[in-house]
Amino acid sequence: REPYLWPLLIYLLLVCLYPFASSCAHTFSSMSARARHICYFCDYGALSLYSLGCAFAYGAYAAPDHWVSAGLHRYFVPAAAFNSFVCPGLSCYSRFPELEHPRWSKALRTAAFVYPFLYDNIPLFSRLLFCFWNNCAWTEAVVGYCYHLLFALLTGFLFASHLPERLAPGRFDYIGEQQPPGPPRHSHQLFHICAVLGTHFQLEAILCDASSRRAWLRARLPLPGLPGTFGTAALVLLGNVAIIGAFTAALSRAP
């Protein structure tokens, strides 16, 4: 009954989706080679939808004051919706050349995650730079966004570097049990921990902004409508399902 909170609701729904999808991918990917690809296709789609949820929340509550009602602000979420098709397309495709060109595959997958992250956080970068140069008050929300960006950068570093266990492959352990043979995984678990911690700080900051800026934003922005919120989210969801279905069908033709 409160349209002002609809972007927050979409964010909350999608932010719950990506850890669930990742857990399912890690649980069921060992069933077969085909299952592994399909599981991670779904994982990439969930990350894409999470990126859209971030754009909804940032556009509705976290935009810098000088952004509000400007042209970039009006097109911020539609552009993020377009990115939500590019991200799963690139990341799903990156699994096909993985055996022949592993470095190219990893670069494509990393770019598919980094690009929407950088786009979604343009409002935060702008807001933080404005606060830094103008020496404005660092609110609780701004501090939360700083922690979020710190953990996001750490997440990306762990994903790309495979540290720390690449320093001692096969011998790195956390709780006293030697790592089994196979590709190193400990940095990937740290990757998930840092991602969820970053999301925690992001959520806390968004809740602060949604509450503290409510009167100011409602006086300057029209209330969100169903087509622009749930309609856009449903369209992107269907598009991601179609992309995942297309790449799943292509598995039968792949070596």
Side-chain angles (χ1 to χ4, degrees):
R1 297 182 181 180
E2 181 53 77
Y4 175 77
L5 296 177
W6 288 352
L8 177 62
L9 177 58
I10 292 173
Y11 167 79
L12 291 173
L13 292 172
L14 298 181
V15 84
C16 291
L17 180 63
Y18 90 86
F20 173 73
S22 185
S23 299
C24 290
H26 284 288
T27 300
F28 299 110
S29 63
S30 60
M31 293 173 63
S32 68
R34 179 181 174 83
R36 177 176 177 81
H37 287 298
I38 295 172
C39 283
Y40 284 104
F41 289 165
C42 295
D43 189 21
Y44 302 152
L47 284 170
S48 167
L49 292 169
Y50 164 64
S51 172
L52 177 66
C54 294
F56 268 113
Y58 288 165
Y61 312 116
D65 294 352
H66 59 279
W67 266 42
V68 175
S69 297
L72 183 59
H73 189 214
R74 287 195 294 270
Y75 296 107
F76 180 68
V77 171
F82 173 77
N83 294 341
S84 296
F85 296 120
V86 176
C87 171
L90 276 179
S91 51
C92 289
Y93 170 76
S94 72
R95 300 196 67 83
F96 287 82
E98 196 167 29
L99 292 178
E100 295 83 2
H101 308 286
R103 292 183 180 275
W104 170 243
S105 172
K106 185 65 175 287
L108 274 180
R109 199 170 308 159
T110 303
F113 300 145
V114 170
Y115 165 64
F117 167 80
L118 291 176
Y119 176 82
D120 287 347
N121 283 279
I122 288 175
L124 295 191
F125 296 144
S126 176
R127 189 169 165 185
L128 294 176
L129 286 173
F130 183 81
C131 279
F132 178 78
W133 289 113
N134 291 275
N135 200 26
C136 63
W138 285 69
T139 64
E140 186 179 352
V142 171
V143 173
Y145 290 130
C146 288
Y147 280 119
H148 161 65
L149 292 174
L150 174 64
F151 278 101
L153 292 174
L154 186 56
T155 299
F157 171 77
L158 291 170
F159 178 81
S161 68
H162 294 293
L163 289 171
E165 81 281 352
R166 73 180 300 173
L167 301 176
R171 296 185 297 275
F172 197 92
D173 67 88
Y174 282 154
I175 56 175
E177 182 178 353
Q178 185 173 347
Q179 182 179 339
R185 304 301 298 166
H186 286 298
S187 71
H188 196 79
Q189 310 318 323
L190 286 175
F191 157 83
H192 281 293
I193 292 169
C194 290
V196 173
L197 283 172
T199 302
H200 162 73
F201 288 111
Q202 179 189 52
L203 171 59
E204 293 296 320
I206 288 171
L207 290 174
C208 286
D209 269 342
S211 175
S212 63
R213 305 181 77 198
R214 181 175 185 139
W216 189 87
L217 289 170
R218 291 194 63 171
R220 289 162 176 79
L221 292 174
L223 287 176
L226 281 172
T229 53
F230 292 100
T232 300
L235 180 65
V236 171
L237 174 62
L238 292 175
N240 274 254
V241 170
I243 290 171
I244 292 168
F247 279 102
T248 298
L251 284 176
S252 60
R253 301 189 298 272

